Amino acid sequence: MTAAQQPEGALVVDTQRDRLGYVMGHDGPYVQLRPVTGGCEWDADPDRVRRATDGERQKAILSGRAP
């Protein structure tokens, strides 16, 4: 699955910003992400977005914070 195909709700990492977020949608050439802890969405380059690993998911669930 390519970054551009990440489904809404997927937990991903924006490797350009080193931030973890949920896919909220797609707007033009960007993937819109929302921080795990809530807050303002940001636009990410889909080529710099990857699925979060199991360890990153578990860390986010346990701590409620981005890595």
Side-chain angles (χ1 to χ4, degrees):
M1 177 177 290
T2 67
Q5 297 172 323
Q6 296 292 351
E8 289 185 20
L11 185 60
V12 298
V13 176
D14 177 349
T15 61
Q16 185 172 4
R17 291 177 181 83
D18 195 29
R19 293 181 70 187
L20 192 65
Y22 291 104
V23 175
M24 301 306 293
H26 302 271
D27 186 24
Y30 301 104
V31 177
Q32 294 176 313
L33 304 178
R34 177 160 300 205
V36 172
T37 56
C40 294
E41 294 178 4
W42 77 94
D43 291 334
D45 178 346
D47 292 333
R48 304 291 301 267
V49 171
R50 65 167 174 79
R51 279 280 184 145
T53 64
D54 289 339
E56 289 166 331
R57 280 198 245 346
Q58 184 174 15
K59 183 177 179 179
I61 290 167
L62 294 175
S63 69
R65 298 188 339 220

